[in-house]
Amino acid sequence: MSLDAGDRHAVPEVVMPTPPIHKVLSGQKALVTGANSGIGRGVAIALGRAGADVVVNYVAGDEAADAVVAEIRTGGGKAYAHKADVANETEVQAMFRKMVEELGTIDILVNNAGLQRDAPFDEMTLEQWNTVIGINLTGQFLCAREAVREFKRRGVVPSVSCAAGKIICMSSVHEIIPWAGHVNYAASKGGIMMMMKSIAQEVAPYRIRVNSISPGAIRTPINTKAWSTPEAYQRLMTLVPYNRIGEPEDIGRAAVWLASDNADYVTGTSLYVDGGMTLYPGFATGG
Ligand code: NAD
């Protein structure tokens, strides 16, 4: 039986059940930036469920950060919250020093913190440009550099992981899909793609793996306007062949796999978790 377009759109939204817990990250220490909201929160909880101890970085919102820490601890993992601006070199270095003091080392960095400051291009201020590049791109550079320093210092510990360390950069489908009205954001994500690949090439001989996750539309506060009314949701679905919005848990599962030894030999790649958003959905009916 074939599905025509009408049937496809009638497929009910199916919510992925919570997967069984496999402690594939047992004994590993993870830092997730921007982890008190949205995707970062989902990733931090997923890494904790997979057995990692987790540092929950955030820049504002103490209570939300404490709630993520509490949820990870409920599952039996160690966790603490650390307030730091990823765009501030001194604060980033202090955050890594504290992590080494508290947890001994770092095995997994999830470079997730990010934001948007949207404007038509000819109205975009230098401050809007610099804020987005500073947090989304320079922030990832600062954290990745500290992580690589510690990975190289410590090397591979075979009882923990085949790799000396893993970095996951939270990119976006907008590393390859241009985005009018969001030039600063798309530039930051395109920059992340080439930064990720270049770091991956440089540090692979040290058994350090560096990859990106490139989400499509995920239900978080960053894009509330795109999904919070039925009309907006329907419009969004014209861009998503899989016909449902993504959830932070979808990204959490991908992050656990990429960080685990199941993904050993995967480096320098972007994993698109986007329900097909990068598949040129406009051509689904033949173009
Ligand atoms: P969100 O607004 O829910 O979360 C962003 C997080 O980043 C928050 O915890 C915030 O406190 C933190 N943050 C912002 N500035 C910071 C700073 N200077 N230092 C430390 N933390 C800071 O948004 P989200 O959707 O969860 O976004 C997370 C990441 O995923 C971002 O990099 C975003 O670009 C990316 N992304 C999101 C989507 C989506 O559809 N939601 C799609 C593609 C990519």
Side-chain angles (χ1 to χ4, degrees):
M1 190 184 75
S2 68
L3 279 176
D4 66 23
D7 292 333
R8 259 205 310 274
H9 290 287
V11 173
E13 199 171 288
V14 179
V15 177
M16 175 79 190
T18 306
I21 300 172
H22 299 296
K23 301 279 186 190
V24 287
L25 302 178
S26 237
Q28 302 205 39
K29 321 293 178 192
L31 167 62
V32 183
T33 67
N36 67 345
S37 176
I39 290 174
R41 176 181 181 279
V43 167
I45 290 168
L47 297 183
R49 281 170 50 85
D53 297 335
V54 186
V55 179
V56 174
N57 161 256
Y58 69 107
V59 74
D62 300 349
E63 272 179 31
D66 291 344
V68 176
V69 166
E71 188 156 346
I72 295 168
R73 287 183 183 160
T74 305
K78 270 195 213 158
Y80 69 87
H82 189 113
K83 186 173 184 171
D85 176 354
V86 295
N88 182 310
E89 184 176 31
T90 309
E91 291 184 25
V92 167
Q93 290 181 332
M95 175 165 70
F96 277 80
R97 264 198 312 278
K98 167 131 194 267
M99 183 170 179
V100 171
E101 277 163 29
E102 292 282 323
L103 301 179
T105 190
I106 176 170
D107 302 288
I108 301 160
L109 166 67
V110 182
N111 251 338
N112 167 78
L115 44 63
Q116 292 178 211
R117 291 287 181 270
D118 308 328
F121 180 63
D122 52 350
E123 292 170 21
M124 186 172 285
T125 63
L126 180 59
E127 192 193 355
Q128 287 170 323
W129 173 269
N130 281 340
T131 299
V132 170
I133 298 296
I135 292 167
N136 294 14
L137 183 57
T138 309
Q140 292 212 9
F141 154 68
L142 289 172
C143 292
R145 190 184 59 177
E146 293 311 308
V148 165
R149 286 174 175 167
E150 172 60 12
F151 297 159
K152 284 171 87 168
R153 184 200 64 76
R154 195 207 54 237
V156 177
V157 179
S159 58
V160 174
S161 173
C162 317
K166 283 85 56 157
I167 297 175
I168 298 172
C169 299
M170 204 54 69
S171 184
S172 164
V173 292
H174 295 295
E175 69 179 26
I176 54 164
I177 301 179
W179 204 14
H182 309 257
V183 169
N184 47 1
Y185 183 83
S188 74
K189 297 301 184 180
I192 286 169
M193 178 171 66
M194 203 40 86
M195 179 182 74
M196 175 277 290
K197 286 174 186 283
S198 301
I199 303 172
Q201 190 188 58
E202 185 168 332
V203 300
Y206 300 93
R207 288 284 164 89
I208 297 168
R209 296 193 294 107
V210 189
N211 293 287
S212 289
I213 294 176
S214 300
I218 310 299
R219 195 193 311 263
T220 76
I222 211 174
N223 57 2
T224 311
K225 267 198 266 171
W227 50 262
S228 54
T229 65
E231 300 72 36
Y233 191 91
Q234 269 322 106
R235 239 186 350 266
L236 181 63
M237 285 309 105
T238 64
L239 299 174
V240 185
Y242 208 64
N243 208 31
R244 74 163 170 85
I245 194 167
E247 306 291 346
E249 292 76 14
D250 290 306
I251 308 301
R253 285 191 300 276
V256 167
W257 176 74
L258 261 184
S260 78
D261 283 350
N262 291 322
D264 198 44
Y265 217 55
V266 178
T267 195
T269 200
S270 291
L271 177 58
Y272 292 94
V273 183
D274 69 350
M277 193 178 245
T278 42
L279 298 177
Y280 297 93
F283 285 82
T285 51

